[in-house]
Amino acid sequence: MSRAVVINGECLVKVRFGAHIEHIFDPLGEEIESEGVFYELGLSEDQIRITPRFVHKDIRVDDFGDEVPAEVMAKLAEITITMKLIHYDPSILDVCIAESLGGNAILGTEMTGAGALMGQNVIPGGEGNHFIGLSLMSPVLNKPNFFPTSYLAVRPVEIPLGTERTVVLCNWRAIPYGRPGLDGSEIQSSGTRLWLPVSSDV
Amino acid sequence: MSRVVYVNGETMVYVKGNTASPIANISELGLAESPIRVTLDSRYLDVQVDAWGGEIPIDVQNRLSAINVSMSLVHFDPAVLEACVEESMGASTFGVLARAGNLMGGNAPRFNPLNHYIGLNLASPVGLRPWRFYFAYLVGPPMDWPLGTERSVVTLNWRAVPYTQDPWNGGLGASGYVLFDRTLDT
């Protein structure tokens, strides 16, 4: 029998930035080590939630009446990932916020120009691409989740400050980033990667 | 036959704090007036399935444990007791508060000056089954010290928790974590 109570296990969150992020330092000036191209962001206070939003469009035919479709078009999807970070690296979170702002060089002080593209027509993880690769570990279930192009969005973070431990609420959005082909061909949605059952695409 | 009437024996309480504390070396705290009580506080989470009625679980998840230790000290070292109170307040001086919100473990290893947890040891000269709780502190209410012409019997309530600097532990989480063992601190 393959059915069982499913337990993901301790879900460590790791992030990958574009190649333009070469070094990250903590407030004491010590460089933060990465594991390959990934940095450890942290652990959540409770369960991390993955909520996809599938987009469909009905195709109506008068013969079928005007409320129930005869066919439905699948029009891609996006994913929301929410987490409450409690044991995390604040310096890595700062970079996540800066990149999600379009590559803000100095967090909160120098904004990237309005309208700047997050992907910059660069491959995920490439130099100039500000999307973040978000990886959720799965040590018990061995079914990790990787979102190659994500960013902190809408109400991206909520940071409580006081004498209690800070639990940061993070809202991520993952999209199927598309870019023109190397041969100059148009952007195509077919084959774009949104959500992978691996820990990395490297 | 391995069954016996179990007698722990004269249970001396030893404590050991961080290297900057007055109890940096293993110290005798004292002897209790009545049995010292070790209470396991284990937490579980029921797994409910509608097919099973939704009220009785099909399985239960283990959610780790803490330990509560209560004692009424009648023959004790007041200076050592004060050191325990001081460390349990996360402070470095008896009667002086630490910053509100200060982490007891200080994200530091055992016996580091930033780590205010206390090693709580209970001897077992007859039963030969001593207890060592690695990360303990006085808690709710931590101490009740009656003052008067009668001998003071001080009630203490300890709590030992599975403190760690890294809950991820390389993907193992709490697996293999030693909450208590049978080897006294030295």
Side-chain angles (χ1 to χ4, degrees):
Chain A
M1 185 182 75
S2 59
R3 285 181 290 111
V5 174
V6 176
I7 299 172
N8 184 73
E10 300 84 346
C11 192
L12 180 68
V13 181
K14 296 186 181 181
V15 289
R16 178 203 60 199
F17 304 111
H20 54 282
I21 304 292
E22 294 178 326
H23 306 285
I24 300 176
F25 299 93
D26 67 16
L28 297 178
E30 298 283 331
E31 184 166 4
I32 298 171
E33 289 185 10
S34 63
E35 298 172 17
V37 297
F38 281 89
Y39 290 92
E40 288 188 2
L41 176 56
L43 295 162
S44 184
E45 181 183 50
D46 54 20
Q47 292 167 311
I48 294 174
R49 296 191 179 277
I50 299 172
T51 309
R53 185 177 79 97
F54 297 158
V55 181
H56 295 87
K57 186 177 176 64
D58 290 348
I59 296 178
R60 301 274 163 84
V61 176
D62 186 73
D63 270 9
F64 271 52
D66 58 3
E67 295 199 18
V68 179
E71 172 65 291
V72 175
M73 286 199 288
K75 303 192 76 172
L76 302 188
E78 61 180 6
I79 306 206
T80 298
I81 304 105
T82 59
M83 58 185 69
K84 294 180 183 177
L85 294 177
I86 188 170
H87 194 269
Y88 64 96
D89 190 329
S91 300
I92 303 300
L93 181 59
D94 281 350
V95 178
C96 291
I97 295 171
E99 287 297 289
S100 297
L101 282 168
N104 173 237
I106 303 175
L107 181 60
T109 60
E110 293 182 359
M111 293 296 292
T112 302
L117 293 173
M118 288 286 289
Q120 300 283 331
N121 286 334
V122 175
I123 60 169
E127 181 160 347
N129 185 313
H130 299 290
F131 283 115
I132 299 166
L134 183 66
S135 182
L136 308 180
M137 299 291 103
S138 178
V140 174
L141 186 61
N142 197 25
K143 195 170 179 294
N145 294 272
F146 180 62
F147 309 94
T149 46
S150 65
Y151 61 102
L152 292 165
V154 190
R155 290 185 66 179
V157 289
E158 187 179 286
I159 306 175
L161 301 174
T163 56
E164 276 196 45
R165 74 281 180 277
T166 290
V167 178
V168 179
L169 175 61
C170 296
N171 292 303
W172 296 84
R173 183 186 187 216
I175 65 155
Y177 167 64
R179 50 189 287 272
L182 291 173
D183 59 357
S185 55
E186 297 292 328
I187 296 174
Q188 291 190 354
S189 57
S190 174
T192 54
R193 300 186 306 169
L194 172 66
W195 182 8
L196 309 177
V198 295
S199 57
S200 165
D201 58 357
V202 174
Chain B
M1 184 182 77
S2 59
R3 287 180 289 113
V4 295
V5 173
Y6 181 75
V7 177
N8 191 69
E10 300 83 345
T11 308
M12 173 59 71
V13 181
Y14 297 94
V15 290
K16 185 173 181 180
N18 68 57
T19 55
S21 71
I23 50 173
N25 298 316
I26 187 90
S27 306
E28 289 183 358
L29 175 56
L31 294 164
E33 178 186 54
S34 53
I36 293 173
R37 297 194 176 277
V38 176
T39 308
L40 202 63
D41 178 13
S42 297
R43 304 299 174 94
Y44 299 91
L45 181 67
D46 287 350
V47 178
Q48 302 288 5
V49 176
D50 184 75
W52 233 237
E55 295 198 22
I56 299 298
I58 63 162
D59 201 345
V60 175
Q61 282 188 282
N62 161 46
R63 307 287 278 180
L64 305 190
S65 306
I67 307 271
N68 297 313
V69 182
S70 61
M71 58 187 69
S72 298
L73 295 179
V74 68
H75 195 268
F76 61 94
D77 186 332
V80 175
L81 177 56
E82 287 182 2
C84 292
V85 172
E86 162 194 320
E87 290 300 308
S88 296
M89 291 170 66
S92 301
T93 305
F94 183 69
V96 177
L97 293 176
R99 182 190 299 271
N102 200 40
L103 289 171
M104 285 290 291
N107 197 31
R110 194 178 190 225
F111 302 139
N112 181 285
L114 294 176
N115 187 323
H116 293 281
Y117 285 112
I118 298 166
L120 178 64
N121 297 258
L122 307 178
S124 180
V126 175
L128 302 178
R129 301 180 78 84
W131 298 78
R132 171 172 56 172
F133 306 102
Y134 283 77
F135 300 103
Y137 64 105
L138 293 167
V139 68
M143 182 186 73
D144 183 69
W145 194 334
L147 302 172
T149 56
E150 279 194 44
R151 78 274 182 273
S152 289
V153 178
V154 179
T155 303
L156 300 180
N157 292 300
W158 296 86
R159 183 180 187 226
V161 295
Y163 164 74
T164 182
Q165 293 172 258
D166 178 16
W168 170 245
N169 190 24
L172 294 175
S175 174
Y177 185 94
V178 180
L179 180 60
F180 58 88
D181 61 18
R182 300 282 190 199
T183 305
L184 297 179
D185 281 324
T186 55

